[in-house]
Amino acid sequence: AQSVAQPEDQVNVAEGNPLTVKCTYSVSGNPYLFWYVQYPNRGLQFLLKYITGDNLVKGSYGFEAEFNKSQTSFHLKKPSALVSDSALYFCAVRDLYSGNTPLVFGKGTRLSVIA
Amino acid sequence: KAGVTQTPRYLIKTRGQQVTLSCSPISGHRSVSWYQQTPGQGLQFLFEYFSETQRNKGNFPGRFSGRQFSNSRSEMNVSTLELGDSALYLCASTETSGSPNEQFFGPGTRLTVL
């Protein structure tokens, strides 16, 4: 069965500093990996995805993520955090070779960027 | 293109009642998935519909049901509401089922059970 772990419930970072939100996954085959962001009282917004190819994926709002197959990780990063990046971030995985399985989400990491 | 819409945005019900939530996907999207979001559990998958057929079902009791219409709009129903059903219910649409395409989420319906 596929699963996602976001080991940190909360990440605090000062504005202008680099940020990292961690995600590890478990699938039996090859993964599709996604990052979503949720602002208060809103649905989830897609940030970026890894399907295949380059391990470094660039997405919306200056975010990027690096796929590391040996460490089964897909950490979300941004070189310089903004206060407006404060939100709830979700990592999600789908197993490429397990047929029509649903997307599985982590429990989310709350990012707080302090001015 | 209009985004995913969900109605109503807020609902207050009492235990034992039933509720129906509606989701209209992005035009052209034929797959609709439903999720329950609670602070402690994150996003829990409820079910997915594609072309009016349920493709996947999560680990929820039979009180939770859904359907999809020929225009791809979807409804989910929760019968005999319990306090623990209080949550944000999100629906998401994508063009096809099981694809690598990202899902597009609606704003959610906030259900409060008293």
Side-chain angles (χ1 to χ4, degrees):
Chain A
Q2 57 203 33
S3 65
V4 174
Q6 293 181 243
E8 300 156 317
D9 291 335
Q10 173 94 30
V11 170
N12 299 318
V13 64
E15 187 175 30
N17 283 2
L19 69 87
T20 298
V21 182
K22 295 180 180 178
C23 170
T24 58
Y25 66 90
S26 174
V27 296
S28 55
N30 288 327
Y32 293 147
L33 291 156
F34 302 82
W35 275 102
Y36 287 85
V37 60
Q38 185 179 35
Y39 297 100
N41 300 315
R42 304 280 293 277
L44 275 67
Q45 296 179 29
F46 169 76
L47 278 178
L48 50 81
K49 67 181 178 184
Y50 171 82
I51 304 301
T52 186
D54 195 348
N55 289 343
L56 184 64
V57 179
K58 293 188 183 296
S60 306
Y61 313 120
F63 284 94
E64 59 188 29
E66 186 165 11
F67 171 64
N68 188 318
K69 188 170 184 178
S70 63
Q71 296 185 6
T72 61
S73 67
F74 189 57
H75 301 331
L76 181 70
K77 299 182 180 184
K78 187 174 182 180
S80 179
L82 300 172
V83 171
S84 57
D85 293 330
S86 299
L88 188 56
Y89 290 80
F90 290 95
C91 181
V93 68
R94 168 176 273 151
D95 190 335
L96 175 61
Y97 293 120
S98 290
N100 187 26
T101 55
L103 201 55
V104 173
F105 285 83
K107 292 190 183 301
T109 298
R110 188 163 300 281
L111 173 66
S112 180
V113 181
I114 304 158
Chain B
K1 225 181 223 186
V4 177
T5 59
Q6 292 187 245
T7 56
R9 291 293 310 277
Y10 301 92
L11 267 178
I12 299 176
K13 293 285 187 180
T14 57
R15 279 182 300 173
Q17 288 187 308
Q18 75 166 17
V19 67
T20 299
L21 312 181
S22 179
C23 172
S24 292
I26 290 172
S27 177
H29 285 192
R30 295 161 60 196
S31 172
V32 174
S33 297
W34 288 89
Y35 297 87
Q36 181 194 66
Q37 184 180 10
T38 57
Q41 297 297 316
L43 268 78
Q44 301 288 308
F45 173 76
L46 281 156
F47 25 67
E48 179 193 4
Y49 286 88
F50 177 73
S51 293
E52 302 178 66
T53 301
Q54 188 179 87
R55 298 296 297 269
N56 280 297
K57 189 177 191 306
N59 189 26
F60 278 82
R63 300 185 297 107
F64 291 81
S65 63
R67 59 177 176 170
Q68 187 180 33
F69 302 95
S70 58
N71 62 357
S72 295
R73 189 177 71 85
S74 177
E75 289 181 347
M76 67 163 281
N77 184 275
V78 188
S79 62
T80 320
L81 284 165
E82 301 177 358
L83 296 179
D85 296 333
S86 294
L88 181 66
Y89 290 88
L90 294 164
C91 87
S93 75
T94 190
E95 292 173 350
T96 60
S97 179
S99 77
N101 294 332
E102 59 271 25
Q103 292 182 329
F104 292 83
F105 282 79
T109 295
R110 172 76 61 186
L111 172 65
T112 301
V113 182
L114 302 176

